[in-house]
Amino acid sequence: MTLKDTLVPTYIQMLGALSAWLDKASDQLPADRAAAIMHARLAPDMFPLFTQICFSCVQAQEGIFRLRQEEMPVSVGALLADGRNADTTTPTIADARARIAETLRIVEAAAADAPDLSPDAPLAHTLPNGMVFDLTAAQYVRDWALPQLYFHVMAAYAILRAEGVGIGKADFVAHMFPFLRPGTMPKPG
């Protein structure tokens, strides 16, 4: 198993899609709504959009560095702080896109020289509340790293949709279109 084959392509695809959705929000929403969208949330007890974006970036960086068996970079702590403090700041779409761009740079650089890792390699995943999960590397990728990324990306997608941004399933799976067989795209109407 290599990071280049498992996590990295998904992280790059989904964070790239998230950035593109933010471009659409910026283009489609009036300036006042675009400025306020970073505080939008799906439910009162859920995190706002900016936090979902920061935590998507955390998940991507955490997955890479945990599987590299290295300490988390300083950027993870900064993203966590940004996300946790989103309600007390005024983040912008540009701020969110900058977090995504920086995460993509970190993920790509870390993956460039990533060692191969046995799928059976043991991995202890400790949560901030003290819970510890004993997993193999393959279980961590399948059962934690990818689902956590998708959870936060999907929450961001849902917030953007709920706020009236014109995105749909094609935006969520835009990375699939290079694989589309010619002549099989349905005709509009």
Side-chain angles (χ1 to χ4, degrees), residues 14 17-18 20-21 24 157 166-175 177:
M14 297 316 300
L18 182 54
W21 306 338
K24 286 189 173 190
Y157 173 89
I167 55 176
K169 182 74 172 259
D171 296 289
F172 194 81
V173 296
H175 60 279
F177 286 105

Side-chain angles (χ1 to χ4, degrees), residues 16-38:
L18 182 54
S19 187
W21 306 338
L22 292 172
D23 287 344
K24 286 189 173 190
S26 187
D27 292 344
Q28 294 173 11
L29 297 175
D32 60 331
R33 292 226 10 247
I37 200 166
M38 288 295 125

Side-chain angles (χ1 to χ4, degrees), residues 44-129:
D45 65 341
M46 288 184 74
F47 289 119
L49 178 60
F50 188 69
T51 302
Q52 300 294 349
I53 293 164
C54 288
F55 288 4
S56 295
C57 293
V58 165
Q59 293 305 317
Q61 291 185 39
E62 181 181 287
I64 295 295
F65 286 93
R66 189 170 306 285
L67 287 171
R68 285 178 61 106
Q69 301 175 334
E70 296 177 7
E71 293 294 317
M72 295 298 145
V74 174
S75 55
V76 169
L79 285 164
L80 287 169
D82 286 348
R84 290 177 182 141
N85 296 319
D87 284 334
T88 63
T89 62
T90 54
T92 64
I93 290 175
D95 294 331
R97 291 191 71 248
R99 301 314 186 280
I100 295 167
E102 178 64 15
T103 295
L104 287 170
R105 281 191 294 279
I106 290 168
V107 165
E108 289 169 348
D113 65 350
D116 288 350
L117 183 65
S118 167
D120 297 323
L123 190 145
H125 179 55
T126 304
L127 299 181
N129 65 7

